[in-house]
Amino acid sequence: MYNRSSFNEFLLLVLMDTQELQLLHFSLFLGIYLAALLGNGLIITAVACDHRLHTPMYFFLLNLSLLDLGSISVTVPKSMANSLWDTRAISYSECAAQVFLLLFLLSAEYFLLTVMAYDRFVAICKPLHYETLMGTRACVKMAAADWGSGFLYAVLQTANTFSLPLCQGNVLEQFFCEIAQILKLSCSSSYLREVGVVVVSLCLFFGCFIFIVLSYVQIFTAELRIPSEQGRHKAFSMCLPHLAVVSLFVSTLTFAYLKPPSISSPVLDLALAVLYSVVPPAVNPLICSLRNKELKEALRKLVQWVQCQPQ
C-alpha cells in the first residue's frame, strides 16, 4: 500500500511522447503564457496608472487580471519545465502547493465574478445609489472578502485531499496536480468527510451561479426599459465582457467536474483542464478590452508611452 511515507513525489501526465513533440508543447504553452502575461500585465498597469479608470468596475477588473496571472503561473511553467527537461516528476510538497494555489485563485476568481455581477446590477438597476453602494471602502471590503473566501476554501479542500491515504500509486493522469486525479489514488473510507466537502463546494458554486443569473435577469429587464437604443447599447456593452468571461469560466469548470463518468476519458479530461486553467487567463484580457473604449484608449496611451521611452 502507498501512503505519504512511501513516496515523496507524483508523476504527471506526459503530453507528448517524443522530444520534437515535447518542444512543440513547450512552445505552445510558452506562447499562451506570454500572451497571458502581456495582456493581464497591460490591464493591471493601465488601470493602476490611469486615474480615469479608478472606478469600481476597473478595480475589480484589476483584481481579475491578478488572479488570472496567478492561476496560469501555478500550472503552465511547471509543465513547460517538465517538457523541456524530459521529466514528469513533481514533489509531494510542490503538488500540495499547486493544488492549494490553484484552488485559492480559481475560487477567488469565481467569487470575484459574482461581485462583478453585483457591480453591474447596481450600475444599471440602481444608478442613483451606485456611489453609495459601490464606494471605495465597500469595493475594498468585497475584494478582500473574495480573496479571503478563496483562501479558506482552498485550505479546506487541500487539507481534506492530502489527509487521505493513497494506495493506488502516484501517477496522475493530468499535466498538473488536480484534486480529481489525486482522489482516484485514494483508498480512504472517510465517506462522510468527503461528502461534506462536496456539499460545501456545490453550495458555494450554485449559490454564486444563482446570484449571477438573478442579477442578469434584472439587468436585462432594466435594459429593455431604457427608452433610447443608444442607452440600451451602452448598457449591453457594459455587461457583455463580464458575461462572456463568466460563461467561459463556468461552462468549462462545470463540464470538467460534473460531466457524466460514462463520457470521461484521459484525452477529454486533459482538454477540459486546458480549457479551464490555461485558456481563460490568456483570452480574458482580450474579452474585457474588445468592446471597452476607455480601456482601449488607456492601453493605447500606455503603449505609446512605452514606445517613446529612450532606449
Side-chain angles (χ1 to χ4, degrees):
M1 176 181 292
Y2 291 88
N3 55 35
R4 173 65 187 92
S5 60
S6 62
F7 65 88
N8 56 11
E9 67 178 16
F10 290 97
L11 298 179
L12 299 175
L13 179 67
V14 177
L15 296 183
M16 306 295 181
D17 55 1
T18 66
Q19 186 176 6
E20 290 77 11
L21 291 177
Q22 286 177 352
L23 290 175
L24 176 62
H25 158 238
F26 173 84
S27 301
L28 289 174
F29 268 32
L30 178 62
I32 295 173
Y33 187 57
L34 291 177
L37 289 179
L38 177 62
N40 289 290
L42 285 173
I43 288 180
I44 293 169
T45 306
V47 173
C49 296
D50 194 329
H51 68 278
R52 294 174 303 172
L53 302 184
H54 292 177
T55 64
M57 182 176 73
Y58 294 109
F59 170 73
F60 293 130
L61 182 58
L62 182 147
N63 278 267
L64 179 65
S65 293
L66 288 172
L67 291 168
D68 279 337
L69 273 181
S71 62
I72 197 171
S73 297
V74 169
T75 58
V76 170
K78 178 62 178 177
S79 181
M80 290 192 301
N82 282 1
S83 291
L84 193 61
W85 301 112
D86 193 22
T87 181
R88 55 187 298 201
I90 182 172
S91 70
Y92 191 94
S93 58
E94 283 182 316
C95 186
Q98 198 174 67
V99 167
F100 169 76
L101 289 173
L102 192 60
L103 281 172
F104 166 44
L105 295 164
L106 289 181
S107 56
E109 181 167 338
Y110 188 45
F111 298 145
L112 180 66
L113 291 173
T114 306
V115 171
M116 292 174 74
Y118 175 72
D119 172 65
R120 297 299 84 208
F121 163 75
V122 176
I124 294 174
C125 299
K126 298 183 178 181
L128 298 179
H129 299 89
Y130 186 76
E131 292 187 3
T132 302
L133 295 174
M134 301 301 296
T136 301
R137 182 174 297 180
C139 290
V140 171
K141 287 182 178 178
M142 284 187 278
D146 295 333
W147 289 78
S149 300
F151 179 84
L152 293 176
Y153 177 74
V155 169
L156 171 67
Q157 283 278 29
T158 306
N160 178 72
T161 300
F162 285 91
S163 64
L164 300 175
L166 306 179
C167 60
Q168 304 295 327
N170 63 336
V171 178
L172 302 177
E173 295 297 324
Q174 193 55 270
F175 71 94
F176 63 93
C177 285
E178 187 182 45
I179 281 188
Q181 296 297 326
I182 296 174
L183 292 179
K184 290 181 180 180
L185 308 180
S186 172
C187 53
S188 172
S189 59
S190 55
Y191 178 76
L192 292 178
R193 184 176 60 179
E194 294 178 32
V195 168
V197 173
V198 171
V199 169
V200 170
S201 301
L202 290 177
C203 288
L204 288 173
F205 180 85
F206 285 110
C208 292
F209 180 73
I210 291 172
F211 183 88
I212 293 172
V213 170
L214 292 178
S215 296
Y216 271 100
V217 168
Q218 297 184 67
I219 287 171
F220 291 141
T221 302
E223 286 179 354
L224 293 175
R225 296 173 183 164
I226 298 175
S228 67
E229 182 178 349
Q230 184 179 2
R232 289 194 299 270
H233 178 74
K234 182 179 179 181
F236 183 73
S237 296
M238 291 172 60
C239 298
L240 185 60
H242 174 259
L243 194 58
V245 171
V246 170
S247 300
L248 178 62
F249 187 87
V250 172
S251 60
T252 53
L253 273 178
T254 300
F255 195 67
Y257 286 98
L258 299 181
K259 67 181 182 300
S262 58
I263 66 172
S264 181
S265 68
V267 175
L268 180 61
D269 291 344
L270 175 61
L272 291 173
V274 171
L275 283 177
Y276 79 74
S277 65
V278 177
V279 174
V283 302
N284 282 350
L286 181 62
I287 294 173
C288 293
S289 61
L290 197 60
R291 297 175 62 91
N292 191 313
K293 293 181 179 180
E294 292 179 336
L295 184 57
K296 285 194 290 187
E297 179 65 18
L299 291 172
R300 184 183 65 80
K301 290 183 177 180
L302 178 62
V303 172
Q304 288 180 344
W305 179 83
V306 172
Q307 291 176 342
C308 292
Q309 295 304 301
Q311 299 296 324

